[in-house]
Amino acid sequence: LLLGCLWLLAAPPVSSIFQRPTGTPAPLRLQYLLEPLHPTVHTQRGATATLPCVLRALPRNYRVKWSKVEPANYQENIIIITNGLYHKNYGPLSPRVRLRHSHRYDASLTITDVALEDEGRYRCQLVNGLEDESISLTLHLEGVVFPYQPSNGRYKFNYHEAKRACELQDSRLATYQQLYKAWTEGLDWCNAGWILDGTVHYPIINSREPCGGRLLLPGVRTYGARDKQKDRFDAFCFTSALQGQVYFIRGHLNFKEAGQACRNHGAAIAKVGQLYSAWKFSQLDRCDGGWLADGSVRYPITTPRERCGGLPDPGVRSFGFPSKEMRTYGTYCFVG
């Protein structure tokens, strides 16, 4: 009997292909699902988050299907299906999701050890024959967006290379919502970069000639969707809280010595995303330039001052990619 029930759960339900004709009444309000009081759930990387989905009644022969809408390919990926007695998990989220099931009407989804890629829109759908209904919720990670380009200069990444570059720096390509929020918080960057859905943008606070001209209003400027294989831009990466610590080792080290210095302390040379996270969430503030894993030299400033670059705003400052043989800088290390 158990195997039979699980077999029934294994096949996703067939969605109706019929559309409501023009002029017909709007669909009825939710009958079985309760509207969530807070459709956005805020969390951080590494935390446990619960997306609420509660039934007001239990129809006969129903199923509840959880899925995630992926902006990169505009598809819905099934996460879990339950009929109230049995459930089946699907996809890469499978090891980290479960139903909260605190009572018989509770079909809320709990995600443990939240990862960067978990951010996005989720759908809880009650499948009940012709009376299917659903609610949408958004999982929002608190974090920071940073522009990224490689050592060989600007506009070198196609989409797939940009995606990989962010992942190598303990981050992922930002969503448009993340980039827009970063702009409202002061991100001003003249170089265009890829974001997760394959479009290209750049955020401008201070209108100026090299960045579209002085007459254009501030905003997130867009190049729209571009060819993911042929077109080349920078990347906008997003990272969230760390499960670990970034710290500085003083010295006059070349790049190889910097990595060894971190390893001598049982740590690894920090990645760019880890330094941004420490600056954002741990208020790491140092005037000292230090090597990072990609060969760049940067330093985080939370309290701007004259002797630390003189810029008026907090941020992660960069010396670019100096020769790896230079013995001028210390190093930033990360220990998990």
Side-chain angles (χ1 to χ4, degrees), residues 8-23:
L8 288 172
L9 289 172
V14 179
S15 300
S16 172
I17 62 173
F18 297 103
Q19 296 181 345
R20 180 166 54 90
T22 304

Side-chain angles (χ1 to χ4, degrees), residues 58-278:
L58 300 177
R60 294 184 62 188
N61 302 319
Y62 78 96
R63 286 182 291 173
V64 171
K65 179 180 75 171
W66 275 100
S67 57
K68 185 174 187 288
V69 180
E70 299 293 349
N73 52 23
Y74 302 103
Q75 292 182 348
E76 281 197 23
N77 293 331
I78 297 174
I79 299 171
I80 196 167
I81 297 178
T82 180
N83 63 2
L85 295 175
Y86 310 103
H87 69 273
K88 184 173 177 62
N89 293 17
Y90 297 84
L93 265 173
S94 181
R96 296 189 290 112
V97 297
R98 58 181 171 82
L99 294 170
R100 183 174 64 180
H101 209 63
S102 58
H103 53 79
R104 61 196 295 251
Y105 299 100
D106 185 13
S108 301
L109 182 74
T110 295
I111 305 173
T112 60
D113 193 19
V114 170
L116 294 176
E117 60 269 21
D118 296 343
E119 165 137 338
R121 187 160 64 90
Y122 291 76
R123 191 159 77 111
C124 177
Q125 181 182 13
L126 176 74
V127 182
N128 184 35
L130 298 178
E131 299 177 351
D132 294 359
E133 55 189 55
S134 65
I135 57 171
S136 291
L137 301 109
T138 299
L139 185 66
H140 172 75
L141 270 69
E142 301 293 341
V144 58
V145 171
F146 61 94
Y148 189 76
Q149 56 185 222
S151 59
N152 58 341
R154 69 197 289 261
Y155 294 177
K156 299 297 183 182
F157 295 134
N158 66 24
Y159 172 82
H160 306 287
E161 292 164 346
K163 185 173 181 289
R164 178 62 177 157
C166 288
E167 291 167 353
L168 287 174
Q169 296 310 314
D170 191 52
S171 58
R172 73 189 295 247
L173 279 176
T175 65
Y176 181 81
Q177 290 78 11
Q178 290 165 344
L179 182 62
Y180 184 87
K181 184 174 185 291
W183 169 72
T184 67
E185 295 171 348
L187 182 60
D188 182 280
W189 196 254
C190 213
N191 293 345
W194 294 101
I195 63 172
L196 186 60
D197 64 2
T199 57
V200 174
H201 309 265
Y202 63 102
I204 294 296
I205 299 290
N206 302 306
S207 298
R208 51 202 186 273
E209 285 304 326
C211 306
R214 298 181 183 276
L215 298 180
L216 285 179
L217 293 174
V220 178
R221 313 251 174 92
T222 180
Y223 286 13
R226 312 299 291 188
D227 189 307
K228 291 183 178 181
Q229 293 287 354
K230 297 179 181 179
D231 289 328
R232 295 188 173 269
F233 297 95
D234 292 345
F236 286 106
C237 305
F238 171 84
T239 192
S240 185
L242 287 173
Q243 292 184 293
Q245 179 187 8
V246 172
Y247 63 93
F248 182 74
I249 295 179
R250 190 183 299 277
H252 298 281
L253 310 169
N254 64 29
F255 177 71
K256 184 176 180 180
E257 292 166 343
Q260 187 59 52
C262 292
R263 290 191 291 274
N264 290 344
H265 286 76
I269 189 168
K271 300 177 179 180
V272 177
Q274 291 167 340
L275 185 65
Y276 268 93
S277 180

